[in-house]
C-alpha cells in the first residue's frame, strides 16, 4: 500500500508549487532618480537661405563661361559673357544722338537768355535732351546685361548653358545657393507652441553623413497656427564650417526645451498604456501561504545532520496606475504612483496580470529581497 501511494504522488512530501500554477519568469528594473531632458523630435529637409536663379536679361550668344558647378562666387562676380556687339552699336548711336541734342539745347539756352529763342523752342530742345539721356542710359543698361553676374554670394549649384548657345530673355543660366546658414523648417503641433522659443539650441542628425550630429538654433517661430494641419512653423538654422551639409539633405531634429535634474525614471519598456491610462507592474512579496505538510526526513549517513529544503521566496506582480512626465530615449519620468527603489517589470509584462505570481530572473536589475537558505555543513 505504501508503494502504491508513493507512485501516485499523493504522499505527505508533496510541495505546494507542484500543485499550483508555475510562476512567470520576468526581468525587472528599479525606479531611480536621474536627470531627464524634455525633447521635441521632428524631421525636416535642409534648405538654402539664399537661392537665386540667374536668368538672362537680354538675348545673345554665349561667348564665355567663367565658373563651374561647385565653385564659390561673390556677389557681382562675372559668371558668363554674352555677345555684346549689337548692344555696343546701339549705345554708340544713342550717345551720338545725345550729343546732337545737347548741342541743340545749349544753343537754345543761350538764345533764350538773350531773348532771341522763343520759350517754346527752348522747352522743346530741353525735353529732347532729357529723352536722349534716357535712351543712352537704357543702351548702357542693355550692354551691362551682356555680362552675367552673380546676384548673391554663394556656390554655383547648376549651370544650364554652354558656349555658343543662343539665350533668350528670362532664360535660366545658373543657380547660385548660399550654404551659410542652412535652414530646416519643423511643422510643430500647436500644443507645443509655448515650449519652443527663438534662440533655443537644437541638434540635428543627418543620415546621409552617417548619423553625424550638427548644432543649430531656432531662428524664428511663425506667429500663426495653420488651421488645416494644426501646426506652426519653427525655422531652425545651422552653420557648418566643414561644408558637409547640403540643401536637400534629410535631418532628424531634437529640441531640448526643459530639464529636470532629480526625476524618478523607469525604463520605457515597463510602461503599459491602456484606455488613456499609464500603468506599471510592481514586484511585491507574495502573501504567506498555509504551511505544507512536513516532509519526511531523508535518511543520511551516520554522523550527518539532515535539514529540510527551505522554500524559495515568492513574488507577485501588482498593476499600479502612474502619472508620467517627460520621456527621453528609453526612459520615462514617473510623476506620481511610484517610489524610489520599487521594482517594475520590464520584460515579461505582457504575460502577467494583477496578482500573477512571478519569478525574478537572476540577472534582473535588483536582487531578491530574501536569501535562499543553504544546507548546513557536516557535524563536527
Amino acid at each position: 500500500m505504501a508503494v502504491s501511494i508513493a507512485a501516485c504522488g499523493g504522499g505527505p512530501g508533496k510541495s505546494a508549487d507542484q500543485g499550483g500554477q508555475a510562476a512567470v519568469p520576468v526581468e525587472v528594473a528599479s525606479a531611480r532618480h536621474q536627470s531627464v531632458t524634455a525633447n521635441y523630435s521632428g524631421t525636416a529637409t535642409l534648405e538654402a537661405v539664399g537661392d537665386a536663379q540667374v536668368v538672362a536679361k537680354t538675348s545673345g550668344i554665349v561667348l564665355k563661361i567663367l565658373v563651374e558647378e561647385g565653385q564659390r562666387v561673390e556677389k557681382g562676380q562675372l559668371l558668363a559673357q554674352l555677345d555684346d556687339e549689337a548692344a555696343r552699336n546701339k549705345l554708340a548711336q544713342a550717345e551720338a544722338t545725345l550729343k546732337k541734342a545737347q548741342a541743340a539745347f545749349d544753343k537754345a539756352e543761350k538764345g533764350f537768355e538773350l531773348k532771341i529763342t522763343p520759350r517754346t523752342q527752348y522747352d522743346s530742345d530741353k525735353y529732347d535732351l532729357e529723352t536722349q539721356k534716357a535712351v543712352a542710359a537704357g543702351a548702357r543698361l542693355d550692354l551691362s546685361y551682356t555680362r552675367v553676374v552673380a546676384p548673391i554670394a554663394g556656390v554655383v549649384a547648376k549651370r544650364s548653358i554652354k558656349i555658343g548657345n543662343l539665350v533668350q530673355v528670362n532664360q535660366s543660366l545658373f543657380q547660385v545657393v548660399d550654404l551659410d546658414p542652412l535652414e530646416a523648417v519643423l511643422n510643430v503641433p500647436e500644443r507645443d507652441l509655448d515650449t519652443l522659443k527663438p534662440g533655443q539650441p537644437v541638434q540635428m542628425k543627418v543620415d546621409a553623413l552617417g548619423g553625424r550630429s550638427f548644432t543649430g538654433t531656432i531662428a524664428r517661430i511663425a506667429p500663426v497656427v495653420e488651421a488645416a494641419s494644426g501646426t506652426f512653423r519653427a525655422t531652425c538654422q545651422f552653420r557648418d564650417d566643414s561644408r558637409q551639409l547640403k540643401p536637400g539633405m534629410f535631418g532628424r531634429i531634437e529640441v531640448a526645451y526643459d530639464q529636470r535634474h532629480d526625476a524618478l525614471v523607469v525604463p520605457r519598456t515597463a510602461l503599459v498604456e491602456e484606455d488613456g491610462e499609464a500603468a506599471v507592474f510592481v514586484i511585491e512579496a507574495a502573501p504567506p501561504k498555509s504551511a505544507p505538510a512536513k516532509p519526511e526526513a531523508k535518511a543520511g549517513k551516520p554522523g550527518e545532520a539532515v535539514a529540510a529544503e527551505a522554500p524559495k521566496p515568492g513574488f507577485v506582480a501588482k498593476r499600479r496606475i502612474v502619472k508620467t512626465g517627460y520621456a527621453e530615449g528609453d526612459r520615462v519620468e514617473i510623476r506620481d504612483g511610484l517610489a524610489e527603489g520599487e521594482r517594475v517589470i520590464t520584460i515579461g509584462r505582457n504575460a502577467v496580470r494583477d496578482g500573477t505570481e512571478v519569478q525574478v530572473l537572476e540577472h534582473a536589475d535588483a536582487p531578491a529581497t530574501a536569501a535562499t537558505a543553504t544546507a548546513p555543513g557536516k557535524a563536527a
Side-chain angles (χ1 to χ4, degrees), residues 301-306 375-380:
K301 296 180 181 180
E304 281 188 336
V306 179
K378 294 183 180 180

Side-chain angles (χ1 to χ4, degrees), residues 210-264:
R212 181 180 172 184
S213 181
F214 296 86
T215 303
T217 58
I218 297 180
R220 56 188 178 273
I221 299 292
V224 296
V225 176
E226 297 181 5
S229 61
T231 61
F232 65 94
R233 291 164 58 90
T235 304
C236 306
Q237 282 191 354
F238 300 89
R239 295 186 180 274
D240 176 29
D241 295 335
S242 65
R243 305 293 182 186
Q244 290 185 315
L245 289 179
K246 308 295 182 184
M249 283 185 172
F250 178 81
R252 306 177 188 276
I253 300 177
E254 286 192 357
V255 185
Y257 57 84
D258 194 12
Q259 188 176 33
R260 292 179 179 146
H261 298 283
D262 193 28
L264 186 66

Side-chain angles (χ1 to χ4, degrees), residues 64-78:
K64 295 180 181 179
I65 296 177
L66 304 175
V67 296
E68 288 296 339
E69 295 176 354
Q71 182 176 341
R72 180 166 180 81
V73 296
E74 300 298 329
K75 182 179 181 180
Q77 181 176 336
L78 183 64

Side-chain angles (χ1 to χ4, degrees), residues 126-202:
K126 178 181 178 181
Y127 295 144
D128 288 343
L129 176 62
E130 295 297 330
T131 301
Q132 291 305 317
K133 286 183 178 179
V135 172
R140 293 190 191 94
L141 189 61
D142 289 339
L143 178 60
S144 69
Y145 288 161
T146 62
R147 292 171 49 87
V148 181
V149 298
I152 61 172
V155 177
V156 178
K158 185 178 181 181
R159 174 173 65 85
S160 305
I161 56 172
K162 298 179 180 179
I163 294 178
N165 289 163
L166 173 62
V167 299
Q168 303 295 336
V169 179
N170 293 330
Q171 179 179 337
S172 178
L173 308 180
F174 298 92
Q175 180 186 10
V176 180
V177 295
D178 185 5
L179 303 181
D180 187 24
L182 293 175
E183 291 185 345
V185 179
L186 290 173
N187 294 310
V188 186
E190 59 181 317
R191 64 175 179 270
D192 296 315
L193 185 60
D194 292 335
T195 61
L196 302 187
K197 305 293 180 183
Q200 286 179 330
V202 300

Side-chain angles (χ1 to χ4, degrees), residues 7-363:
C8 294
K14 178 182 176 182
S15 65
D17 290 340
Q18 289 176 336
Q21 186 177 3
V24 178
V26 296
E27 290 188 11
V28 300
S30 298
R32 296 187 177 94
H33 283 283
Q34 296 179 356
S35 176
V36 63
T37 302
N39 295 315
Y40 172 79
S41 300
T43 58
T45 302
L46 287 173
E47 302 174 357
V49 175
D51 189 344
Q53 291 289 340
V54 184
V55 299
K57 296 182 179 181
T58 187
S59 60
I61 302 294
V62 179
L63 298 181
K64 295 180 181 179
I65 296 177
L66 304 175
V67 296
E68 288 296 339
E69 295 176 354
Q71 182 176 341
R72 180 166 180 81
V73 296
E74 300 298 329
K75 182 179 181 180
Q77 181 176 336
L78 183 64
L79 306 180
Q81 177 66 56
L82 305 182
D83 182 15
D84 60 355
E85 184 176 354
R88 288 186 182 278
N89 290 337
K90 289 182 180 180
L91 177 59
Q93 183 180 0
E95 288 180 342
T97 305
L98 176 60
K99 291 180 180 179
K100 181 180 179 180
Q102 183 69 54
F105 174 73
D106 292 342
K107 182 179 178 181
E109 187 177 26
K110 291 181 180 179
F112 183 73
E113 291 177 355
L114 297 175
K115 297 182 180 180
I116 298 175
T117 303
R119 179 77 184 191
T120 55
Q121 183 64 37
Y122 171 79
D123 290 342
S124 178
D125 291 343
K126 178 181 178 181
Y127 295 144
D128 288 343
L129 176 62
E130 295 297 330
T131 301
Q132 291 305 317
K133 286 183 178 179
V135 172
R140 293 190 191 94
L141 189 61
D142 289 339
L143 178 60
S144 69
Y145 288 161
T146 62
R147 292 171 49 87
V148 181
V149 298
I152 61 172
V155 177
V156 178
K158 185 178 181 181
R159 174 173 65 85
S160 305
I161 56 172
K162 298 179 180 179
I163 294 178
N165 289 163
L166 173 62
V167 299
Q168 303 295 336
V169 179
N170 293 330
Q171 179 179 337
S172 178
L173 308 180
F174 298 92
Q175 180 186 10
V176 180
V177 295
D178 185 5
L179 303 181
D180 187 24
L182 293 175
E183 291 185 345
V185 179
L186 290 173
N187 294 310
V188 186
E190 59 181 317
R191 64 175 179 270
D192 296 315
L193 185 60
D194 292 335
T195 61
L196 302 187
K197 305 293 180 183
Q200 286 179 330
V202 300
Q203 293 289 330
M204 179 180 64
K205 291 184 178 180
V206 181
D207 295 343
L209 299 178
R212 181 180 172 184
S213 181
F214 296 86
T215 303
T217 58
I218 297 180
R220 56 188 178 273
I221 299 292
V224 296
V225 176
E226 297 181 5
S229 61
T231 61
F232 65 94
R233 291 164 58 90
T235 304
C236 306
Q237 282 191 354
F238 300 89
R239 295 186 180 274
D240 176 29
D241 295 335
S242 65
R243 305 293 182 186
Q244 290 185 315
L245 289 179
K246 308 295 182 184
M249 283 185 172
F250 178 81
R252 306 177 188 276
I253 300 177
E254 286 192 357
V255 185
Y257 57 84
D258 194 12
Q259 188 176 33
R260 292 179 179 146
H261 298 283
D262 193 28
L264 186 66
V265 299
V266 297
R268 191 189 292 265
T269 54
L271 203 63
V272 180
E273 295 180 331
E274 296 177 350
D275 301 329
E277 291 183 333
V280 295
F281 283 99
V282 182
I283 296 297
E284 296 182 359
K289 299 179 179 179
S290 58
K294 185 176 179 180
E296 295 180 353
K298 298 180 180 179
K301 296 180 181 180
E304 281 188 336
V306 179
E309 183 180 357
K312 297 181 180 180
F315 300 97
V316 294
K318 290 294 185 179
R319 188 175 185 271
R320 190 180 300 176
I321 303 296
V322 294
K323 181 180 179 182
T324 60
Y326 294 153
E328 180 184 5
D330 59 350
R331 302 176 302 155
V332 62
E333 178 191 14
I334 303 298
R335 303 296 302 275
D336 189 24
L338 199 63
E340 183 180 10
E342 288 190 290
R343 296 188 297 169
V344 295
I345 297 177
T346 57
I347 297 180
R349 59 178 175 80
N350 293 330
V352 301
R353 295 293 184 267
D354 189 26
T356 300
E357 185 176 354
V358 297
Q359 175 189 0
V360 179
L361 300 181
E362 294 181 358
H363 59 281

